Amino acid sequence: MRNLFHLLLVALALPLGAQAQRGGGQGFTQQFNQGSVLLSSGDTLNGPLALHRGEETLTMTLADNTVRTLPAVNVQSFAVRGEQYDQSRERLYYDDFYAMRQGYYSGRPAFGATPPPRRRERADTNLLRVFRVYRWNRNNDYSDFKAPGFFEQLSGGPVILLRREGLVERPITAGSPYGYGGYSGMPGRTLGYYTEVKDNFFLGLPDGTVLPLRTPKKDLPSYFRTHARQLAQYAKTNNLNYTDARDLAYLVNYANSLESK
């Protein structure tokens, strides 16, 4: 656990302007075998924890087996590993964002000829994930009320790519990949539903505000408008997808490098 806390401190040393968040889809709960939470008070708690996304709270089991509930307002950031995966909502692939949180992007001189981080097709419970707390309006553009929420950090700074995951229901229709084999009913007829994890992306800005990337291919160049042409060329040269979390982290890190020149 000391190693986890050390990694948390390293992660938190990245340049930030404030705190972080994200939304969309139904909330759900994720269980982690190890966690290290940096509280707003500056104290640190370690132990297994659960992230309740809909409620924006953590529940942590302490060394004396007591359980402590931590609302987002009491948390600065936290790091976790050892997720207990729900097989019904497993992804098709898993990415380690450690290098991206250090500012990695393909072709960055500081990383030399380092190959892109390997994409995993199986869950790796040793992957460290870092979350930060930002105040946001819960995607309600007409509200001035901002409440704290948890956002996962996927890139370096000063502008940071953030992610919030939510569960969404998708219909199973006749003829779809999830349909029943050999079914010859009416095409398009809904046979049921399945649940998948939906990524929602945001930019954590240096002034502490959160900018939703509802259409990343449009919204990202709009924010980095001075370098929009270079960003588009980089995405084309490296065959990057604006809806893929790893590719989008590369794009944000590359955009940050252009802004610093």
Side-chain angles (χ1 to χ4, degrees):
M1 187 60 70
R2 286 185 178 180
N3 289 336
L4 179 63
F5 180 52
H6 173 71
L7 288 170
L8 172 62
L9 291 179
V10 171
L12 298 184
L14 291 174
L16 295 177
Q19 304 176 1
Q21 295 189 28
R22 152 182 183 173
Q26 302 173 21
F28 61 102
T29 297
Q30 290 168 282
Q31 303 278 347
F32 298 92
N33 295 328
Q34 295 180 318
S36 187
V37 179
L38 181 60
L39 301 176
S40 301
S41 64
D43 295 331
T44 304
L45 297 176
N46 298 308
L49 67 76
L51 167 58
H52 307 279
R53 290 185 175 272
E55 296 79 9
E56 303 289 358
T57 60
L58 305 175
T59 51
M60 172 168 275
T61 303
L62 303 179
D64 60 2
N65 288 325
T66 60
V67 177
R68 184 166 174 180
T69 300
L70 304 168
V73 69
N74 294 339
V75 176
Q76 288 190 45
S77 53
F78 66 95
V80 289
R81 62 165 39 127
E83 182 175 358
Q84 300 171 23
Y85 285 102
D86 179 350
Q87 298 291 329
S88 67
R89 57 173 177 80
E90 280 212 44
R91 293 178 174 274
L92 299 177
Y93 56 81
Y94 304 84
D95 287 313
D96 183 354
F97 289 92
Y98 174 80
M100 283 74 100
R101 291 195 299 268
Q102 313 309 309
Y104 174 87
Y105 61 86
S106 182
R108 181 180 175 185
F111 284 83
T114 303
R118 181 172 59 89
R119 172 158 281 175
R120 296 162 169 80
E121 294 182 358
R122 299 184 126 200
D124 183 351
T125 58
N126 286 319
L127 295 181
L128 184 77
R129 301 176 67 179
V130 174
F131 292 79
R132 299 182 183 274
V133 176
Y134 283 87
R135 290 186 175 275
W136 69 318
N137 60 9
R138 296 185 179 273
N139 269 347
N140 183 355
D141 293 339
Y142 300 100
S143 173
D144 293 328
F145 176 74
K146 295 184 179 181
F150 297 120
F151 293 80
E152 184 177 5
Q153 179 181 350
L154 301 186
S155 76
V159 177
I160 302 168
L161 178 64
L162 305 171
R163 173 172 70 182
R164 282 178 62 91
E165 295 172 309
L167 296 183
V168 293
E169 282 192 338
R170 305 292 191 193
I172 301 173
T173 58
S176 78
Y178 293 92
Y180 303 113
Y183 182 77
S184 58
M186 183 183 301
R189 178 182 176 185
T190 299
L191 307 177
Y193 295 87
Y194 69 98
T195 301
E196 69 176 10
V197 177
K198 179 179 185 295
D199 282 342
N200 296 278
F201 298 111
F202 300 78
L203 292 180
L205 306 183
D207 65 359
T209 59
V210 175
L211 176 68
L213 296 178
R214 297 189 177 101
T215 310
K217 191 170 184 178
K218 174 184 175 183
D219 296 339
L220 189 64
S222 178
Y223 178 76
F224 292 103
R225 58 175 56 88
T226 305
H227 302 290
R229 184 173 297 179
Q230 292 162 281
L231 200 58
Q233 184 58 52
Y234 178 78
K236 181 178 180 180
T237 300
N238 292 277
N239 194 29
L240 300 180
N241 186 334
Y242 281 83
T243 61
D244 180 272
R246 180 177 66 169
D247 290 359
L248 198 54
Y250 291 169
L251 286 164
V252 172
N253 283 335
Y254 177 68
N256 277 322
S257 75
L258 296 176
E259 292 282 298
S260 65
K261 292 179 180 179

